[in-house]
Structure formats: C-alpha cells, structure tokens
Amino acid sequence: MGGPTVAPKGVTLKNRTVVVGLGATGRAIASSLLRRADVEIVGAADRDPRVVGQDLGVLLGGLANGVVVVSDPAELPAADLAIVATVSDLHRAADVLLPLLERSYNVLSICEELAHPWRSHPDLARRLDDTAKAHGVTVLGSGANPGVLMDTLPLLLTALTQRVESVRIRRRTNMSRYGAILSKFGLGLTVREFATARSRGEVVGGTTASSRPSGRSRQGSDGISTRWTWERSNPPS
C-alpha cells in the first residue's frame, strides 16, 4: 500500500480504514471513527446476514455514507488500517488477521489474546509477526478491559500516596448489547445453572465470593440486563 503520504499544507490527511466485525464493540468503534476528521471508513464486513448489504451510516443510526457492509473481509477495498472487532480466541481471530496482513493492511484488533501472544501462543505469534514483516505492515492487540480499569488505573491513581490501606472497586456493566458475551460467560444464569454449564464446557470463567453476579439477570425491553459487582480490599501492611 506504499509508504506514508505527506498531505499538502492546510489539507487533513485521512487514513483509509475498514472495520471487520460489527457487533456492539465494532459499531461503537465505527461510530467513533466516523466523527474523526483524520479517518475515512471505506469498508466494513460482518458475517451476520441481518447487517450484510446495509449502508454502514444507516446501520449506525446516522445518514447513509455509501459504505455497504459485506460478508467476507476478502471483499473489502484496499486501506491503510483494518480494525478487527470479532473474537477473543486468537486461533479463531488469526483466520481473519492473517489474510488481512497478506493483503498489506495494518491490523488493530480487540482480541485479548493478541495483547501478549508470544507467551500464550508463541508459534502463532511468530507466524503473525513474520507475515506482517513480509508485507511491511503491523499487527497490534489493543483495548481497555477490566484489568485496566480495576487494576492498572487504581495503581496509577495511588502512585503518589505514601500508604494505601484499602482499595474497593465496584463495577456495574449493562451487557444487553453484547450477545456473544452473554452466552460465553453465562451471564443471566444462576450460580447452579452456571456450574452445570461450565461442567459441560458451555461457558468459561467462574464465580467466587468476590466475583459473581449480584443477582439473576432480568429481561428488559432492550434484552438481558446484567449487573456485576467486584470488590477488592487489601488490609494495611
């Protein structure tokens, strides 16, 4: 796709971008990008037949922008960057990431396992790295997860204090828009239902006294609304 282009004076250079995956996170990312002056979304892909063929702008609740959602990332036009907002499993995500790298897209993914893949998936990490280098592009796992909000941020905010006696964090999240996550983590199940589903390999994760649903989810007009609460406390040293 060539090297960087220098924009004429007074002209804003726009990065041509495509978005792969238009679930709740992908739509939020796309909506944010549409408001940026330095980004032009030129393509979008999702395997959900309900959104394929729709205009991206209309799908996001705005005006038509001429970007029609396709079902196969291979149909996307050339661009500087591909943002992949699909799955957390790197083995599954790689099936999308590798072809994009081979087409010389720089790739940015929300896949959690891509954050430190050389530790969890060394062979696959090497393959991704070699493919990116061979085509002169980059691949990066990025995003904000509970580890950032509940671990790193409190650590940063307490860095200037001389003594920390306790840290308590409460997090409430409405997951009603995140269909895949609801089933993956068993949100909406009672503790007994969760244990049964986990024994069958149908859900991942676990419930403990300090990390579990605060109650059974309720069905609302916008889908399942689930509330989670975490509390962490460290005694004085």
Side-chain angles (χ1 to χ4, degrees):
M1 296 189 181
T5 301
V6 178
K9 186 176 181 180
V11 176
T12 300
L13 181 64
K14 292 191 175 184
N15 294 295
R16 289 170 57 86
T17 303
V18 297
V19 179
V20 180
L22 292 171
T25 302
R27 295 190 192 195
I29 292 172
S31 295
S32 177
L33 293 178
L34 286 177
R35 295 192 294 268
R36 293 181 61 120
D38 59 344
V39 173
E40 178 186 9
I41 297 181
V42 296
D46 193 281
R47 64 182 181 179
D48 188 345
R50 294 173 297 180
V51 304
V52 173
Q54 291 195 44
D55 182 278
L56 179 63
V58 175
L59 178 65
L60 298 177
L63 299 176
N65 63 359
V67 176
V68 178
V69 180
V70 298
S71 60
D72 188 348
E75 301 174 29
L76 292 169
D80 304 299
L81 173 67
I83 296 178
V84 180
T86 54
V87 295
S88 301
D89 185 333
L90 184 55
H91 282 105
R92 294 173 57 197
D95 292 337
V96 175
L97 303 178
L98 286 166
L100 291 171
L101 294 172
E102 291 169 351
R103 291 184 59 193
S104 297
Y105 290 96
N106 290 286
V107 175
L108 177 64
S109 174
I110 67 169
C111 176
E112 292 94 328
E113 292 187 339
L114 191 58
H116 300 281
W118 52 89
R119 297 185 63 88
S120 58
H121 303 78
D123 294 337
L124 187 51
R126 173 57 60 188
R127 185 180 175 192
L128 288 166
D129 185 60
D130 289 344
T131 303
K133 289 178 178 177
H135 293 83
V137 291
T138 58
V139 55
L140 175 67
S142 181
N145 56 39
V148 173
L149 300 176
M150 302 176 69
D151 295 327
T152 305
L153 183 59
L155 183 63
L156 174 64
L157 295 178
T158 58
L160 298 179
T161 63
Q162 293 183 335
R163 180 182 179 89
V164 178
E165 295 186 354
S166 68
V167 175
R168 176 171 294 182
I169 302 171
R170 293 179 178 176
R171 179 174 182 249
R172 295 182 180 180
T173 306
N174 183 347
M175 305 298 293
S176 61
R177 298 179 298 139
Y178 297 78
I181 294 179
L182 296 178
S183 57
K184 175 181 177 180
F185 293 109
L187 298 182
L189 302 179
T190 63
V191 173
R192 177 175 296 180
E193 291 169 343
F194 182 92
T196 300
R198 186 174 60 173
S199 67
R200 296 173 179 171
E202 297 172 354
V203 300
V204 297
T207 58
T208 66
S210 60
S211 177
R212 67 180 181 181
S214 59
R216 188 181 179 89
S217 303
R218 60 179 176 80
Q219 179 70 35
S221 59
D222 59 349
I224 299 176
S225 177
T226 306
R227 185 177 69 183
W228 285 71
T229 299
W230 284 264
E231 291 189 10
R232 299 183 180 181
S233 181
N234 300 317
S237 57

